[in-house]
């Protein structure tokens, strides 16, 4: 966003939750709704899941997105308030996010492509554990990982599913990706790896017919995959806005000291 351009035109999008819809109507009546095409900033009202939906749906607009929490957790959202919205937006700090791009090939040879701002996950879909082979930049680093799955996380996504799977929290400016196993059985003590954001990751599903695996990129799922290629896509970016003093980098850092 051009910081020299004072924001006066916004548009509002909201999740289906009643409080989000009611807030959208009230804010639009107070500040006006310029529509997506004419707005300088998109204001998203909902929770973290809705923020990710908004980012995917409207990233082609090339406009900053400012979220306000009308959901539950709201880690990616600013606190909700009716007053001084334009002032908050104009004082906000930017976070420029580059997603992961996933290319997955299923058992039928069909390719599936999607992007993920949080993480790409491989997940077993039956009672049997998955078997995965991990290659980084063309070199096999782990011939066989027996597990419930594995995920590759961006810094923004490192506080989400990655953290629940006991992966590390990554500072926003670190240019690092986290590769984290999900309930690893063998090798039991492997806790994952930190990779350069320039790394090219290949995950192969071993015994895919017997041990089927799905690949999930944020809200997109490809079933019965055999190979998954993942790399950061620097050609795609989204600008998210956070209240002054509550930047995304500050939130990720603070999460490491939460108890």
């Amino acid at each position: 966003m051009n910081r020299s351009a004072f924001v006066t035109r916004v548009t509002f999008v909201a999740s289906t939750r009643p409080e989000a819809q009611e807030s959208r109507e009230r804010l639009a009546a107070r500040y006006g709704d310029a529509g997506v095409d004419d707005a300088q900033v998109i204001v998203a009202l909902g929770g973290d899941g809705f923020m990710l939906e908004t980012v995917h749906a409207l990233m082609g607009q090339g406009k900053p997105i400012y979220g306000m929490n009308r959901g539950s957790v709201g880690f990616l959202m600013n606190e909700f308030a009716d007053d001084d919205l334009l002032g908050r937006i104009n004082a906000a700090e930017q976070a420029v996010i580059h997603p992961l791009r996933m290319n997955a090939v299923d058992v039928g040879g069909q390719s599936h492509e999607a992007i993920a701002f949080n993480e790409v996950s491989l997940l077993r879909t039956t009672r049997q554990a998955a078997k995965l082979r991990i290659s980084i930049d063309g070199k096999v680093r782990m011939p066989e990982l027996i597990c419930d799955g594995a995920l590759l996380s961006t810094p923004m996504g490192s506080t989400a599913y990655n953290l629940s799977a006991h992966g590390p929290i990554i500072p926003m400016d670190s240019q690092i990706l986290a590769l984290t196993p999900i309930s690893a059985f063998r090798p039991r003590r492997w806790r994952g790896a930190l990779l350069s954001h320039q790394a090219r990751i290949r995950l192969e599903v071993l015994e895919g017919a017997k041990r089927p695996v799905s690949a999930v990129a944020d809200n997109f799922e490809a079933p019965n995959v055999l190979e998954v290629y993942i790399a950061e896509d620097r050609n795609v970016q989204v600008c998210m806005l956070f209240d002054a003093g509550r930047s995304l980098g500050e939130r990720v850092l603070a999460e490491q000291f939460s108890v």
Side-chain angles (χ1 to χ4, degrees):
M1 182 173 66
N2 183 358
R3 302 304 290 187
S4 64
F6 190 83
V7 173
T8 59
R9 303 186 312 278
V10 297
T11 190
F12 298 94
V13 294
S15 73
T16 57
R17 293 175 65 123
E19 57 266 43
Q21 289 292 322
E22 187 275 332
S23 297
R24 184 190 63 77
E25 293 178 7
R26 190 170 69 248
L27 291 169
R30 180 170 180 176
Y31 295 99
D33 192 321
V36 172
D37 291 338
D38 294 328
Q40 296 163 282
V41 170
I42 297 164
V43 179
L45 304 167
D48 288 344
F50 182 71
M51 173 58 88
L52 280 178
E53 291 177 17
T54 302
V55 167
H56 280 274
L58 299 177
M59 62 182 177
Q61 295 288 329
K63 297 179 181 182
I65 301 174
Y66 178 89
M68 285 201 291
N69 189 21
R70 293 278 81 185
S72 52
V73 178
F75 184 82
L76 299 177
M77 314 300 278
N78 299 289
E79 291 185 8
F80 179 83
D82 286 8
D83 295 334
D84 196 29
L85 176 59
L86 295 180
R88 292 172 67 185
I89 290 174
N90 280 286
E93 301 180 36
Q94 299 184 60
V96 177
I97 310 299
H98 298 284
L100 302 172
R101 183 169 294 277
M102 176 190 81
N103 287 278
V105 180
D106 65 24
V107 294
Q110 183 177 354
S111 296
H112 305 268
E113 184 173 302
I115 63 173
F117 289 91
N118 266 3
E119 74 278 317
V120 173
S121 307
L122 271 67
L123 306 167
R124 68 168 179 157
T125 58
T126 67
R127 67 187 185 282
Q128 290 190 296
K131 287 187 177 181
L132 306 176
R133 178 183 294 132
I134 301 172
S135 299
I136 310 297
D137 295 328
K139 182 176 181 178
V140 175
R141 293 292 181 178
M142 182 161 290
E144 184 177 273
L145 171 66
I146 304 175
C147 57
D148 281 354
L151 64 87
L152 185 72
S153 170
T154 66
M156 184 177 84
S158 68
T159 62
Y161 190 9
N162 173 72
L163 183 58
S164 297
H166 306 291
I169 295 176
I170 311 171
M172 285 300 299
D173 59 356
S174 63
Q175 296 188 330
I176 286 175
L177 305 174
L179 178 61
T180 302
I182 303 170
S183 300
F185 178 64
R186 291 287 188 276
R188 195 182 299 274
R189 291 190 175 89
W190 190 63
R191 294 292 180 262
L194 295 175
L195 306 175
S196 165
H197 74 111
Q198 296 178 325
R200 299 290 187 265
I201 297 92
R202 180 189 185 194
L203 301 172
E204 299 172 80
V205 178
L206 309 178
E207 302 179 21
K210 179 182 178 182
R211 304 167 184 270
V213 168
S214 66
V216 181
D218 282 354
N219 56 0
F220 173 86
E221 182 172 0
N224 298 320
V225 298
L226 291 181
E227 293 181 290
V228 179
Y229 300 85
I230 314 168
E232 186 183 66
D233 191 340
R234 302 293 291 185
N235 295 317
V236 178
Q237 67 178 39
V238 168
C239 177
M240 299 171 64
L241 301 178
F242 296 88
D243 286 335
R246 290 284 294 145
S247 69
L248 184 56
E250 166 61 25
R251 294 172 191 217
V252 171
L253 177 62
E255 190 72 15
Q256 296 185 75
F257 296 91
S258 64
V259 294

